[in-house]
Amino acid sequence: MQPAQPVPGPVEDLLRRLLAAGTVGAAAQAAVDTVCDALQVEVSWSGIIEENSLTMAAYNGLHTTEMAALWRLEIGHGIGGRVAQEGRTIRVRDYRRDPRRVPVMKHLIDGEHLRSSICAPLVCGSEILGVLYAAERFSRDWTDDEVRFVTSVGRDTGVALSLIRRHRQDRLESEDAVRSARERARSIDAVKVLAGTLAGADDIGPGIAVLACHLGMHIELLNSDRELLREAPQPGGGTAHVRFETAVGEELPALLRVRGDRDLDATERELVEVCSGLIALQLLRERAALQMELRVHGELFDDLLEGRVDDHLRLLERAALLGVDLKAPRYVACIGPHVGEGGECDDTHAAFSRGALDRLEHDLGRHCPRAILMPRRGEVVALLEPEKTARKKVDEALRLVVGSTAETGALAAGLGRMCVGLGDYEDSYAEARMALNLARRRWRAGEVLSPADLGFYGLVGRASTRQSLESMVASALGPLLEADAAGASAYVKTLDVYLASDRRLERTANDLHVHPNTVRYRLTKIQEMLGVSLRDVEERFLLELALRVRAALDQQ
């Protein structure tokens, strides 16, 4: 028998049921029923994570009460436990030949005569809340469309579960408002139209426009700083008095504002509050879809930062699908927690919370609007697109962000070189990460270091290309090279001979065929231009190293 393809009707019904669900069980049951109806499978059930285990939340089509009462999986164990741990969908053609089954659950599955299944995570962003099964009592080759459908149902259900758990009281109030609005035919029609518009669109703009048209008033969506994000204008509404405001969730701080030449009645106020809940759900769905897309396509940024850029055109195409233009120049920055002198920092210590990451993205976005942030290896990697390649502004923006520690904790940052081509990202990322490791161990938090601050570490910390060696020489000897090029000062040669002569003034003067006072004068100028002391062992070492690297490059 050819499996039936999912149709739009069950999806719309699922969204309506999730919007109306006031409990975890109701949302889970909506997902289970939708899977059974859409895929025409015999059995479906859902497990919710409680502490470190999955427990049954809803089911459809089970023959025994034992399965419903006793099914329980530890996270990481069995197929469902792995899905709950890894956050990826798994399909099974035949349970009897699958080694991943947990023996303690084997008799329950066999008791139901289940043979094949799809198991998808219930996710909201990066948070995994449970799993969703579609199962048959015979071996079935699941199609990619069916796998994508169950995964999509799991994502939508995960968003709804997150709202239920985090905003239960708000949800109850919203349901009361919906029940009251349903008593009025006009409000019922408005909610249906708005929900249908949001479900069928990838943008919240049409939904806000429906509400504005229904009320005949001007609607604005504002962020937490009361900056305008979206509006649905009505004639003269933009300058009219504010008649009503309501919050659009707490996880995504936003405000829905109504302007007009009249006050709202009680029914209209309830309608606006209900619509704000629908808009909040849509915004969370959009963010969850984007986060999943970035996770699925995370290999793009791994390839970019690790230098796997053999096929430039293909990499540019993949980036374009994510809305990222890699042809634009960018800097790579790494941001992480400050640990202080002698502190140790591993991936567990450096992990960012979801709230801290959101705040960091918000703060950095105010200074670099096109910034792209990615959690990676216990730190945050940022691709920063400057205006007219102004590195100073990028550096200042990073210092402002890492210097503000009220909500993110003490931070430090490293900034790599500008990336003009795809091949520059690997070196820039290596420099930024190395600079971060040094900055986070400084005694003072809020430091931002760049390649110029790496010195010797920037040379030996990675396999150096000619370009990085030339950059190191320019960083160490730049002012001397510029002065020698502008005149006949011979500062570089004087420094080289002086260090090679074990800092003996007379011997240096003899080798250069000049008076010792001339050597003494040049050495004074060299120290002033470089901002170093030739008495300092480490600074002398870096200068000697730069001189030898320069000599080796000249011989190539």
Side-chain angles (χ1 to χ4, degrees):
M1 179 179 66
Q2 182 68 26
Q5 297 298 318
V7 296
V11 176
E12 294 176 356
D13 181 64
L14 170 65
L15 293 178
R16 284 193 293 269
R17 291 183 64 179
L18 289 178
L19 290 174
T23 64
V24 170
Q29 191 66 52
V32 165
D33 294 343
T34 298
V35 167
C36 284
D37 294 342
L39 299 185
Q40 297 182 7
V41 296
E42 296 182 68
V43 180
S44 177
W45 75 93
S46 176
I48 300 299
I49 296 177
E50 295 182 358
E51 295 181 353
N52 197 40
S53 298
L54 287 166
T55 58
M56 184 75 74
Y59 59 88
N60 195 336
L62 296 179
H63 288 166
T64 66
T65 58
E66 186 180 17
M67 174 77 169
L70 300 181
W71 183 85
R72 185 181 182 90
L73 275 177
E74 290 187 17
I75 304 301
H77 292 205
I79 294 171
R82 291 190 180 190
V83 171
Q85 183 179 59
E86 300 172 5
R88 62 181 182 89
T89 301
I90 295 177
R91 69 180 103 186
V92 177
R93 184 182 182 279
D94 193 336
Y95 270 124
R96 294 172 297 182
R97 296 179 175 84
D98 198 303
R100 294 170 293 189
R101 285 205 296 171
V102 177
V104 71
M105 292 291 104
K106 182 177 181 298
H107 75 281
L108 294 179
I109 300 297
D110 292 344
E112 286 287 341
H113 304 291
L114 299 176
R115 292 292 178 265
S116 61
S117 72
I118 298 173
C119 183
L122 303 178
V123 296
C124 179
S126 60
E127 183 182 14
I128 302 173
L129 304 170
V131 296
L132 175 65
Y133 286 86
E136 293 282 20
R137 293 188 169 89
F138 58 86
S139 298
R140 175 169 174 171
D141 290 317
W142 303 97
T143 67
D144 290 342
D145 285 344
E146 291 168 336
V147 171
R148 280 192 290 268
F149 176 76
V150 178
T151 301
S152 176
V153 172
R155 183 174 63 245
D156 289 339
T157 305
V159 172
L161 290 176
S162 179
L163 281 177
I164 290 170
R165 287 184 171 184
R166 299 174 189 179
H167 310 290
R168 187 176 299 274
Q169 186 59 39
D170 290 343
R171 190 69 177 184
L172 292 175
E173 294 175 0
S174 179
E175 287 178 348
D176 289 339
V178 171
R179 282 193 294 270
S180 176
R182 284 176 178 172
E183 296 175 358
R184 304 167 180 87
R186 184 170 176 272
S187 295
I188 291 177
D189 291 341
V191 171
K192 285 183 177 180
V193 172
L194 181 62
T197 302
L198 291 175
D202 296 328
D203 182 59
I204 61 173
I208 295 177
V210 168
L211 180 59
C213 182
H214 180 79
L215 295 175
M217 303 181 77
H218 189 94
I219 306 297
E220 298 173 340
L221 182 65
L222 312 175
N223 64 12
S224 58
D225 295 324
R226 293 183 175 264
E227 297 170 337
L228 184 64
L229 298 176
R230 202 69 58 85
E231 63 179 337
Q234 291 292 311
T239 58
H241 292 295
V242 175
R243 301 296 178 175
F244 188 65
E245 290 183 346
T246 185
V248 182
E250 296 179 2
E251 187 171 347
L252 291 170
L255 193 70
L256 197 64
R257 173 184 289 170
V258 180
R259 292 180 179 270
D261 56 2
R262 63 178 179 84
D263 290 328
L264 299 180
D265 60 31
T267 300
E268 290 173 328
R269 287 173 177 263
E270 291 176 357
L271 175 61
V272 174
E273 290 177 350
V274 172
C275 291
S276 71
L278 301 181
I279 292 170
L281 179 57
Q282 177 69 5
L283 289 172
L284 282 175
R285 287 183 65 223
E286 290 178 6
R287 190 176 79 169
L290 178 60
Q291 289 174 335
M292 177 165 286
E293 182 182 21
L294 289 175
R295 184 166 66 245
V296 171
H297 294 85
E299 61 184 25
L300 165 72
F301 298 104
D302 289 339
D303 291 345
L304 186 65
L305 298 177
E306 294 175 11
R308 298 191 292 268
V309 293
D310 295 335
D311 191 342
H312 284 212
L313 290 178
R314 177 56 182 157
L315 195 63
L316 290 172
E317 289 176 359
R318 290 163 60 195
L321 290 175
L322 292 174
V324 178
D325 180 13
L326 290 180
K327 295 179 182 179
R330 282 187 171 85
Y331 291 99
V332 178
C334 292
I335 304 171
H338 177 259
V339 298
E341 293 180 314
E344 294 296 330
C345 190
D346 54 28
D347 287 354
T348 301
H349 180 92
F352 279 78
S353 68
R354 179 71 255 176
L357 184 60
D358 286 344
R359 188 64 193 175
L360 186 62
E361 184 173 15
H362 174 268
D363 291 345
L364 194 56
R366 295 178 62 185
H367 303 285
C368 300
R370 293 180 291 277
I372 301 171
L373 271 66
M374 298 162 289
R376 195 171 195 267
R377 297 178 180 174
E379 63 203 22
V380 173
V381 179
L383 303 185
L384 307 175
E385 182 178 342
E387 296 181 2
K388 299 181 180 180
T389 66
R391 181 188 182 94
K392 183 177 180 181
K393 291 186 177 180
V394 173
D395 187 271
E396 290 175 352
L398 278 175
R399 292 184 186 279
L400 287 173
V401 171
V402 301
S404 176
T405 61
E407 299 186 31
T408 57
L411 298 177
L415 181 63
R417 71 183 67 173
M418 175 182 284
C419 303
V420 178
L422 297 182
D424 296 331
Y425 281 89
E426 180 183 16
D427 287 338
S428 184
Y429 173 59
E431 291 171 350
R433 196 159 192 235
M434 194 180 309
L436 169 62
N437 287 335
L438 292 177
R440 74 199 327 174
R441 290 175 172 84
R442 293 285 183 92
W443 69 272
R444 183 176 61 185
E447 292 276 357
V448 178
L449 299 184
S450 64
D453 303 306
L454 296 180
F456 175 69
Y457 301 101
L459 178 69
V460 302
R462 49 181 280 102
S464 298
T465 63
R466 181 181 179 91
Q467 181 181 6
S468 62
L469 291 174
E470 290 174 343
S471 176
M472 180 266 185
V473 171
S475 177
L477 304 175
L480 304 186
L481 295 170
E482 293 174 1
D484 286 351
S489 53
Y491 287 128
V492 173
K493 185 176 181 180
T494 301
L495 178 62
D496 193 11
V497 173
Y498 176 70
L499 294 176
S501 303
D502 198 20
R503 296 185 293 141
R504 295 178 181 176
L505 193 65
E506 295 290 342
R507 181 176 172 183
T508 302
N510 290 335
D511 289 345
L512 293 174
H513 305 292
V514 297
H515 193 276
N517 287 341
T518 301
V519 175
R520 188 176 291 108
Y521 170 78
R522 290 179 183 176
L523 293 176
T524 301
K525 293 293 292 183
I526 287 171
Q527 293 178 92
E528 291 176 355
M529 286 189 286
L530 298 182
V532 300
S533 170
L534 294 178
R535 297 176 181 270
D536 187 282
V537 175
E538 183 174 351
E539 291 181 334
R540 286 203 312 273
F541 172 76
L542 293 177
L543 293 173
E544 288 176 339
L545 179 61
L547 289 167
R548 281 152 182 73
V549 169
R550 178 174 177 269
L553 291 174
D554 289 342
Q555 293 175 2
Q556 292 183 357

